[in-house]
Amino acid sequence: MIKIALVGILAVFAAIQFKQGKQEYSILIGIVCCLLIFYYGIGKMDTVLKGIERIEGYLSINVEYIQILLKIIGITYISEFAAALCKDAGYAAIAGQIELAGKLSIMAISMPILLALLDTIERFFTA
């Protein structure tokens, strides 16, 4: 985590230097920094996936639900990443639309889990 923080801080200092004269370089520095941090974060997904597999061994959870959960996490990270880049570039309206599309995608993907929960509640009350 210290490496990520240092990369971020160094990128901010470098971007500040270009903010006055060559603003396009400042934006590019920010994008490259975000991509480096994103790449590093994706590398940590292996640890998360192994932990989820271990949880599956302890609990009898449908594998489909775990896959949906991972998709939701992925959509969240990608939409937040893209929205932050757009905000940094000065396009807040586009960033808002990306966030909205991400939220709607999460709602659409999570429908099977919601329906399974409602089925479980219905079985509980009818039993």
Side-chain angles (χ1 to χ4, degrees):
M1 186 61 209
I2 293 175
K3 290 178 187 178
I4 293 173
L6 288 175
V7 167
I9 291 169
L10 290 175
V12 168
F13 285 141
I16 288 172
Q17 296 299 318
F18 290 105
K19 193 85 168 174
Q20 300 299 327
K22 300 269 187 176
Q23 191 172 9
E24 61 272 7
Y25 291 148
S26 175
I27 292 170
L28 288 175
I29 290 170
I31 290 172
V32 169
C33 177
C34 287
L35 289 173
L36 284 172
I37 293 172
F38 186 73
Y39 178 74
Y40 182 79
I42 292 296
K44 298 295 182 181
M45 282 300 292
D46 185 47
T47 305
V48 173
L49 292 175
K50 287 180 183 176
I52 290 173
E53 287 175 3
R54 212 164 151 204
I55 290 171
E56 284 178 7
Y58 294 129
L59 304 172
S60 61
I61 299 175
N62 191 346
V63 176
E64 187 177 312
Y65 298 147
I66 300 295
Q67 291 173 344
I68 291 171
L69 180 63
L70 291 175
K71 286 179 186 178
I72 290 171
I73 292 169
I75 290 170
T76 303
Y77 282 130
I78 290 170
S79 62
E80 284 294 319
F81 177 75
L85 285 178
C86 290
K87 284 179 185 175
D88 286 346
Y91 295 98
I94 295 173
Q97 293 303 311
I98 291 171
E99 290 173 346
L100 177 64
K103 290 172 185 175
L104 291 173
S105 296
I106 289 171
M107 284 179 57
I109 287 177
S110 65
M111 278 300 151
I113 294 175
L114 178 61
L115 293 173
L117 177 64
L118 292 174
D119 287 342
T120 303
I121 291 171
E122 181 183 16
R123 277 188 263 135
F124 179 73
F125 284 127
T126 58

